[in-house]
Amino acid sequence: MFFFKSSSKNFKNSKLKILSGYNFRYRSVGKESEKNIIKYANHFKFDYEFEKSNKFERHFYWLKIKMLIDNLKKGKHEFYLWLDADTFFCRYENILNHIDKSKHIFVHNNFFKSVHKTKYKFVNYLTWGPNVGVLLVRNTKWSLKFFKNVWNKKKYLKHFWPDNAAFMDEVGLKAEIAKISDNNLSKDVRNNISFLSGIWNSMPKRNFENPENDEISNFYFDPVIIHLAGIRRRDRINFIKKYKKLFI
């Protein structure tokens, strides 16, 4: 019988706790990410928790929302940092030294080649939207209410980006999940959410070194975090093998 155990460590550091998780199916990538994240956490003596259950009430993508809500309810840390299990630190930068601590939620706003078409040949829309693979959250009532609202958006349960689409809806950046005119940040969101630099969520494509590659890229030079989003699992594994020297 195979036992798949969750792991955590408590340095009694009330500043920040790192959250992440993956299931057995994703373990080939998740185990490598976990080792990397733990090195970062140990360096700064941040607490951490990895949830590795094979059973979850929704698509496993929603785990981040549930873990954030649960930890915000407990209220033992000032900040929580969610990291997808395909993220890798490339250098030791304390994220708390790079934010406006008066804000409540911090996320990178990357750009998309839009699903919406123009009427012109060789002309495409590019739109902006948050990527929730890296989420820094301050422990406040506002943050807890925000993520409860995200969790309750059940209309996105079967969406291609279920958790991300629900987050985009709550933020108001809905161009890629609704009409292209639907990007609208409320004053409340503008006052409480801050957008991280791309170095905290740098996303290379599979063939990013190929000079003939014309994919839209959200890769940033000298990143703190590389996030292998939007590529197949086998390509993630190949990337890890080829570029492991980039990671801490």
Side-chain angles (χ1 to χ4, degrees), residues 138-154:
R138 187 158 67 93
N139 188 354
T140 64
K141 291 181 180 179
W142 193 93
S143 297
L144 179 58
K145 180 181 177 182
F146 179 94
F147 283 104
K148 282 182 175 179
N149 289 344
V150 172
W151 180 261
N152 288 332
K153 293 184 183 297
K154 295 181 180 180

Side-chain angles (χ1 to χ4, degrees), residues 26-244:
Y26 203 70
R27 70 193 185 283
S28 55
V29 176
K31 287 192 298 184
E32 296 300 319
S33 176
E34 180 180 3
K35 288 186 291 185
N36 175 272
I37 291 170
I38 288 175
K39 284 178 69 176
Y40 177 86
N42 287 342
H43 180 83
F44 292 108
K45 291 185 169 54
F46 291 147
D47 296 342
Y48 60 81
E49 179 184 354
F50 290 85
E51 176 59 54
K52 292 177 280 188
S53 172
N54 283 314
K55 292 184 179 180
F56 189 61
E57 58 196 286
R58 296 183 179 183
H59 192 292
F60 207 75
Y61 289 164
W62 287 92
L63 175 68
K64 62 171 66 73
I65 310 301
K66 184 68 162 57
M67 286 186 75
L68 283 167
I69 290 172
D70 289 347
N71 277 273
L72 288 166
K73 284 181 177 178
K74 293 174 186 176
K76 293 183 178 180
H77 298 79
E78 189 176 344
F79 288 91
Y80 295 99
L81 175 61
W82 168 269
L83 297 168
D84 276 3
D86 56 355
T87 56
F88 296 86
F89 284 96
C90 298
R91 51 193 172 96
Y92 292 107
E93 286 283 349
N94 187 337
I95 192 169
L96 298 182
N97 294 335
H98 296 268
I99 61 168
D100 176 356
K101 293 185 176 65
S102 69
K103 302 292 186 178
H104 296 249
I105 296 174
F106 308 81
V107 65
H108 174 54
N109 207 21
N110 62 252
F111 60 89
F112 302 87
K113 184 177 180 180
S114 181
V115 296
H116 302 287
K117 307 298 182 184
T118 75
K119 62 182 180 180
Y120 306 105
K121 291 182 179 180
F122 310 113
V123 177
N124 295 97
Y125 291 118
L126 288 179
T127 58
W128 291 94
N131 179 282
V132 295
V134 177
L135 269 174
L136 179 65
V137 181
R138 187 158 67 93
N139 188 354
T140 64
K141 291 181 180 179
W142 193 93
S143 297
L144 179 58
K145 180 181 177 182
F146 179 94
F147 283 104
K148 282 182 175 179
N149 289 344
V150 172
W151 180 261
N152 288 332
K153 293 184 183 297
K154 295 181 180 180
K155 64 181 179 180
Y156 296 108
L157 287 177
K158 295 184 179 180
H159 194 276
F160 182 70
W161 306 322
D163 58 317
N164 210 112
F167 186 95
M168 293 164 83
D169 188 320
E170 185 65 16
V171 169
L173 292 173
K174 300 190 287 184
E176 289 307 295
I177 58 175
K179 295 184 294 184
I180 199 166
S181 59
D182 281 348
N183 269 6
N184 184 30
L185 297 176
S186 69
K187 183 178 179 180
D188 189 40
V189 167
R190 292 197 305 271
N191 287 340
N192 293 297
I193 290 185
S194 179
F195 292 106
L196 293 168
S197 161
I199 64 171
W200 294 99
N201 195 349
S202 179
M203 291 173 274
K205 295 294 186 180
R206 181 186 62 178
N207 296 316
F208 79 102
E209 283 190 327
N210 183 346
E212 297 180 358
N213 179 26
D214 62 353
E215 295 176 294
I216 296 296
S217 175
N218 284 285
F219 179 74
Y220 288 77
F221 178 75
D222 195 22
V224 178
I225 295 175
I226 282 179
H227 179 196
L228 302 181
I231 58 178
R232 292 182 178 180
R233 194 183 327 158
R234 68 186 180 191
D235 295 320
R236 289 179 169 99
I237 294 168
N238 289 335
F239 186 100
I240 293 166
K241 290 177 180 177
K242 187 174 181 180
Y243 299 107
K244 204 167 186 178

